[in-house]
Amino acid sequence: MGFFDNFLQESHLMVRQTAKRFALDEIRPHAMKWEEAGEFPLELYEKAAKAGILGVGFDEQVGGSGGGPMEQVMVIEGLMYGGSTGVAAGLGSLGIALPPIVQSGDARLIDEFVRPALRGEKICGLAITEPGTGSDVAAVSTRAERDGEEYVVHGAKMFITSGVRADFLTVLVRTGDDPHGGLSFLVVETEREGVTRSAPLKKHGWWASDTAEIGFDDVRVPVENLVGAEGGGFLTLMQNFQSERLALAAYGAITAELALKEALSYCAERKAFGRPIQKFQVNRHKLVEMKTKVVTAKTLVYQVAHRMAAGEYLVEEVSMAKNVACDVAMEVCDEAVQLHGGMGYMRESLVERLYRDARLLPIGGGTREVMKEIIARQMGL
Ligand SMILES: Cc1cc2nc3c(=O)[nH]c(=O)nc-3n(C[C@H](O)[C@H](O)[C@H](O)COP(=O)(O)OP(=O)(O)OC[C@H]3O[C@@H](n4cnc5c(N)ncnc54)[C@H](O)[C@@H]3O)c2cc1C
C-alpha cells in the first residue's frame, strides 16, 4: 500500500495524467524560452481549455469540466511537470478570479465572464492587494462610489497575477466605511476608460506569469457588475482564500517533489572522489530527509483536499497545510540546489528555477505569519 492510496482514486489519477501529458507536450519543450521572455503564448489558454484542464473545479452548469479540490490539486501537480510555476500560475489565475462570480449565481455575469474564461477566450485575474496594503485586507482603500446606475472606481491594485493581459478583473473595492462590511467585489473590464496597467513587474521567480500594478482613475462600471451583495466582499474573500491556500499548498508539495526527483537523478549520476555522490552518507541522509518532507507535505495536502471535497470548511487545517507544504518546498529546493553543486546555480537546471519559484509560496495568498495568526485564533490563543 502506498502513502497516498487512501486519497487517490482512479479518476484523480486520470486528471493528473491528462494535465501532466499536456504539460509535457505543450509547456516543457518551451518552458525555458517562455521563462526568459517573461510570458507564454495566449493560445495556451484555449489549448488548456480544449484539453479539459482549465475547467477542472468548476461545475458543468457554468461551463466547467467538474471535479472539486482533489481534482484541482491533481491539475496543479500535472501542470508543474511543464517545469514553470509561472506558466501554471498564469493559466491558473482564473481559479481565484472566477469563484466569487460563480458563487454569486448571477446568470449574466456567469455568461459574460465565467464561460469565456473557462473556454480560454478571456483572461482574468483577482485584484485584492494594493500598494499600501496586502495582509490587512480590511484596509483596502480602492473605492467604488455609487453614481446612479454606475459605480465610479478610484484607486490602485498591486502584484496582480495575469494583470497585464487580463480582459477583466474581479476587484475587491470599498463601497462603505465599515472595515469589513464595507467591502464588495466588482468585475471591471480592463478596456474601460481610466484603467491603466503597468508593464510586467520584474520578479525573483514565476517569470513566465505576468504580474501588474493596476490603476483605476474614475472608472465607470455598471452596477450589474457587482458580484453578489454590496458589502458581502469580505466573507466571499475569506471563502475564496480557502481554495487559493489549498492550491498554494499543492504547489508547495509538488515543487518539493520535483526538486527531489531532480536531486535523486543528479546524485545517482554525478561522481566525486571516485563514486556517485549519493554514496556519501551525508547526501543519502539529505535525500531521505527530503523524501520524508515531501511525503509529509503531500499527505497533509491530500488529507485537507479530501476533507474539503467532502464539504468540510477547514480554516485551521488549510492554513497549516499551506505553511507546511510551502516551507517544505523552500527547504527541499534549497537542498536540491546544494546537491547539484555549481550546476544548481545555473539557469539550465530545473532546480534553480524551482528554488526561485518556491520563494513566493509562503508570501502569496496570505503570508506564513498571517497563516499562523489564523491558526492561533482557531486555537483560541
Ligand atoms: C508574484 C506575486 C503574485 C501575486 N498575485 C496576486 C494576485 O493575483 N492578486 C492579489 O490580490 N495579490 C497578489 N499578490 C500579492 C500577495 O498576495 C501579497 O504580496 C501578500 O498577501 C502579502 O501582502 P503584502 O505584500 O502587502 O505584505 P504585507 O502585508 O505588507 O506584509 C509584510 C510583512 O509583514 C508581515 N505581517 C503582516 N501582518 C502581520 C501580522 N498581523 N502579524 C505578523 N506579521 C505580519 C507579513 O507576514 C510580511 O512578512 C501577489 C504577489 C506576488 C509577489
Side-chain angles (χ1 to χ4, degrees):
M1 170 122 181
F3 283 116
F4 312 119
D5 292 359
N6 277 341
F7 304 113
L8 297 178
Q9 297 159 6
E10 200 53 39
S11 59
H12 300 138
L13 298 176
M14 275 172 60
V15 172
R16 181 165 68 191
Q17 189 50 32
T18 303
K20 183 174 172 183
R21 190 70 269 147
F22 178 82
L24 291 174
D25 291 347
E26 302 289 345
I27 302 174
R28 190 70 181 242
H30 317 286
M32 175 71 107
K33 192 173 68 195
W34 294 346
E35 279 283 311
E36 298 286 332
E39 63 177 16
F40 59 89
L42 291 173
E43 305 91 79
L44 200 67
Y45 285 94
E46 287 194 50
K47 280 188 183 171
K50 288 208 174 84
I53 295 166
L54 280 196
V56 169
F58 293 90
D59 285 348
E60 284 163 24
Q61 294 98 296
V62 300
S65 35
M70 275 303 284
E71 285 78 7
Q72 286 173 304
V73 170
M74 295 295 108
V75 165
I76 289 168
E77 288 191 1
L79 280 182
M80 281 295 289
Y81 277 83
S84 162
T85 323
V87 173
L91 285 176
S93 60
L94 56 73
I96 50 177
L98 298 183
I101 308 176
V102 172
Q103 200 189 320
S104 76
D106 186 318
R108 189 193 70 83
L109 292 179
I110 289 170
D111 285 346
E112 196 163 329
F113 298 107
V114 175
R115 290 181 200 283
L118 292 175
R119 287 196 299 267
E121 294 162 7
K122 280 188 180 174
I123 299 172
C124 55
L126 178 73
I128 310 294
T129 310
E130 300 187 347
T133 192
S135 306
D136 186 4
V137 174
V140 156
S141 65
T142 297
R143 289 202 82 88
E145 306 272 3
R146 184 86 187 244
D147 180 22
E149 287 310 295
E150 291 175 323
Y151 283 105
V152 183
V153 184
H154 198 85
K157 294 288 174 181
M158 192 60 165
F159 307 141
I160 307 308
T161 300
S162 300
V164 177
R165 311 203 293 182
D167 296 293
F168 68 91
L169 296 166
T170 309
V171 186
L172 189 69
V173 290
R174 180 155 294 292
T175 47
D177 291 331
D178 185 87
H180 300 99
L183 293 172
S184 307
F185 273 112
L186 197 60
V187 177
V188 181
E189 299 91 332
T190 49
E191 66 186 10
R192 286 193 181 276
E193 208 181 323
V195 177
T196 52
R197 293 186 263 188
S198 69
L201 301 172
K202 298 267 183 212
K203 306 187 290 292
H204 177 63
W206 286 37
W207 289 356
S209 76
D210 82 63
T211 310
E213 179 172 4
I214 316 283
F216 303 97
D217 186 10
D218 291 336
V219 181
R220 293 195 160 262
V221 181
V223 287
E224 298 91 70
N225 280 21
L226 182 71
V227 180
E230 193 177 280
F234 188 77
L235 191 62
T236 305
L237 178 62
M238 292 305 120
Q239 288 162 352
N240 207 41
F241 269 145
Q242 291 289 100
S243 52
E244 180 176 5
R245 287 168 186 165
L246 177 69
L248 287 161
Y251 275 113
I254 186 66
T255 297
E257 187 173 18
L258 292 175
L260 169 64
K261 197 163 161 281
E262 293 296 301
L264 282 169
S265 58
Y266 192 80
C267 290
E269 277 167 28
R270 179 71 178 175
K271 289 198 176 71
F273 300 94
R275 49 187 164 148
I277 57 174
Q278 70 178 13
K279 294 292 175 201
F280 296 107
Q281 190 183 45
V282 66
N283 292 341
R284 274 205 308 272
H285 286 193
K286 270 186 192 174
L287 292 165
V288 167
E289 280 165 23
M290 289 157 77
K291 178 163 185 186
T292 309
K293 286 177 180 177
V294 167
V295 169
T296 306
K298 282 187 80 171
T299 304
L300 194 52
V301 170
Y302 286 168
Q303 197 202 56
V304 171
H306 202 67
R307 288 178 60 190
M308 282 170 76
E312 288 190 68
Y313 192 69
L314 304 171
V315 177
E316 182 179 8
E317 292 85 343
V318 169
S319 308
M320 284 182 183
K322 179 175 188 283
N323 273 3
V324 169
C326 297
D327 284 351
V328 160
M330 285 182 45
E331 291 158 14
V332 171
C333 286
D334 186 43
E335 285 294 21
V337 167
Q338 191 67 21
L339 286 165
H340 276 70
M343 192 48 79
Y345 203 64
M346 296 297 123
R347 289 223 197 132
E348 66 190 84
S349 301
L350 179 58
V351 290
E352 185 271 343
R353 192 181 309 147
L354 292 171
Y355 174 81
R356 283 187 286 102
D357 287 350
R359 192 62 190 87
L360 188 263
L361 300 173
I363 297 173
T367 65
R368 179 194 291 127
E369 294 72 29
V370 167
M371 293 305 99
K372 286 185 184 172
E373 281 301 293
I374 291 171
I375 296 164
R377 266 202 303 280
Q378 297 292 315
M379 291 168 69
L381 300 173

